[in-house]
Amino acid sequence: MPDATRDQTRLLARFGLGADAEDVYMTLLTRTVADVAELAETTGFGLSRVGTALTPLMTNGLVLAVDQGNFRARAPESAFRDLLARRERDLDDDRTSVERLADVHRRSAAVRDAADIVQVISGRDALAAALRDLQESARHRVRSLVKAPVLALPAEDNIDVQLARMDEGVAYHTVYERSMLTDTSEFDLLGFSVRRGEEVRLANHLPVKMLLADSDQAVIPLDRGAQQEPVALVIRHRSLIEVLEALFERVWSAAAPLPAGRKTTGGSPEEAPEQHVGLDLSPSDRTLLRILVTGLPDRAVATHLGIGKRTVERRVRSLLDRAGVATRIELAVHATRQGWI
């Protein structure tokens, strides 16, 4: 029988040639030449079955017929080069076809039936699928307004999709309601995505939940209470999308930016050396001040910076003393006037 590694690879089957063809090819790889009778004996196939397997191997240039009814396998590095090149051409053709279909879908949006302008979906699974599909469809950016409660797609379930899209160049701009960020695990995930490039701002209150892909479509989840399945609106009409874009940009401009947390490569962040910038204020102190003015609680600040809550309290106390003020509000005002943030 052929080498047992064929069970691990089944390479030819992925090219549509079938398991029998792979068995025959693997057998020929171990010999200089072989005839049909030898191949039948080694593989355990009948003569007819071997002949059937040889046909696609010769058609695709993997096996050559030589004199006296013998066959030999071409070297894999040359034989598969042609197959791989053909597969790459097929993939390029497939990508072109998908792009054409996507263009037809986009161009037809303006003439769809009125029922398709706003689609109503219900149920957590349907809503989660719609939120994922929306992100997958984005080509340039995804904009979100996020507030509690999360109805269908918590951060830990969405992080893989988001990071994959960000790696492909899609920008993520998100405004969170501050009440969303009191949970440590939620803030851990947020800090990770911010370090990967997500731009985040915080607001005391958001008027609606929303996920917006480019300027093409949006999903607006509607909370109907814990006892009922969630409902969402999928919106594609250009005029409505423009209204939602204007709403997002207004909320975004009024929200407080969340600075990126410190990136560490080992050891405790509290032990990392500081380089002070003017007025004896270190870069990490400036980052701390920018986060403090967003109104996050100390525990969330500590999680975001990768330091302990007591360290945050000690550093804030030091900043208060340095500024000569008594409250954090006074500290924010002083830091702004002094150009610290």
Side-chain angles (χ1 to χ4, degrees):
M1 290 297 290
D3 191 305
T5 56
R6 75 187 194 284
D7 293 328
Q8 302 173 17
T9 60
R10 289 298 178 196
L11 178 60
L12 270 64
R14 292 202 290 274
F15 286 97
L17 299 180
D20 285 0
E22 182 162 359
D23 286 345
V24 170
Y25 181 70
M26 293 293 289
T27 299
L28 282 170
L29 282 180
T30 65
R31 291 164 168 74
T32 303
V33 295
D35 59 21
V36 172
E38 291 176 286
L39 293 171
E41 180 181 357
T42 304
T43 60
F45 301 160
L47 297 178
S48 175
R49 187 173 172 185
V50 169
T52 300
L54 282 168
T55 299
L57 291 172
M58 290 189 291
T59 300
N60 286 277
L62 297 174
V63 168
L64 299 176
V66 294
D67 59 341
Q68 300 179 350
N70 289 318
F71 300 87
R72 70 175 178 85
R74 284 184 65 198
E77 57 267 30
S78 57
F80 282 92
R81 185 185 305 118
D82 297 337
L83 283 177
L84 290 171
R86 187 176 69 190
R87 172 179 276 189
E88 289 174 355
R89 289 194 298 271
D90 290 342
L91 285 173
D92 288 339
D93 291 343
D94 290 343
R95 291 189 187 98
T96 301
S97 297
V98 170
E99 289 172 0
R100 288 173 180 166
L101 290 173
D103 185 57
V104 170
H105 182 262
R106 287 192 295 271
R107 285 188 286 106
S108 67
V111 294
R112 289 178 191 153
D113 292 337
D116 195 40
I117 293 175
V118 177
Q119 176 188 0
V120 180
I121 57 175
S122 61
R124 284 175 173 77
D125 290 343
L127 176 53
L131 293 171
R132 291 192 187 95
D133 289 345
L134 196 74
Q135 295 174 80
E136 294 288 355
S137 73
R139 291 165 292 161
H140 305 295
R141 60 176 174 167
V142 173
R143 290 170 285 181
S144 307
L145 301 179
V146 183
K147 60 185 296 185
V150 176
L151 300 179
L153 195 60
E156 61 269 21
D157 294 337
N158 187 63
I159 189 68
D160 290 340
V161 174
Q162 177 175 335
L163 294 180
R165 298 301 353 255
M166 290 168 65
D167 287 344
E168 293 167 3
V170 176
Y172 271 70
H173 295 170
T174 309
V175 181
Y176 284 91
E177 206 168 70
R178 281 189 175 87
S179 60
M180 285 285 297
L181 303 180
T182 57
D183 181 76
T184 300
S185 60
E186 182 86 19
F187 210 93
D188 282 339
L189 285 172
L190 175 59
F192 182 66
S193 63
V194 167
R195 289 190 291 274
R196 291 284 291 271
E198 181 182 11
E199 292 190 38
V200 171
R201 296 190 176 187
L202 305 178
N204 288 329
H205 172 72
L206 294 177
V208 69
K209 301 173 186 175
M210 180 174 69
L211 187 69
L212 179 63
D214 296 325
S215 298
D216 297 329
Q217 56 181 324
V219 173
I220 299 181
L222 305 176
D223 185 8
R224 300 198 300 166
Q227 302 304 317
Q228 299 187 63
E229 285 285 283
V231 169
L233 306 179
V234 181
I235 298 172
R236 301 184 180 91
H237 193 277
R238 180 59 194 160
S239 297
L240 296 178
I241 293 295
E242 288 178 354
V243 172
L244 295 176
E245 285 186 299
L247 171 63
F248 178 88
E249 295 304 328
R250 182 174 180 179
V251 171
W252 177 263
S253 62
L258 178 67
R262 180 187 298 173
K263 296 181 182 179
T264 58
T265 56
S268 169
E270 301 162 62
E271 298 171 357
E274 300 281 2
Q275 290 187 356
H276 294 274
V277 181
L279 298 176
D280 200 33
L281 196 68
S282 69
S284 64
D285 282 339
R286 293 177 185 270
T287 300
L288 175 59
L289 282 169
R290 288 196 296 270
I291 297 175
L292 286 176
V293 299
T294 66
L296 287 175
D298 286 353
R299 185 177 299 279
V301 174
T303 299
H304 188 57
L305 293 178
I307 59 180
K309 181 172 177 287
R310 290 185 178 180
T311 301
V312 170
E313 294 170 349
R314 174 175 53 78
R315 288 174 56 184
V316 170
R317 182 69 262 168
S318 175
L319 288 170
L320 289 169
D321 293 341
R322 191 180 310 176
V325 297
T327 68
R328 296 189 181 199
I329 294 176
E330 292 174 312
L331 175 60
V333 172
H334 181 84
T336 302
R337 288 175 176 171
Q338 294 297 320
W340 292 358
I341 56 177

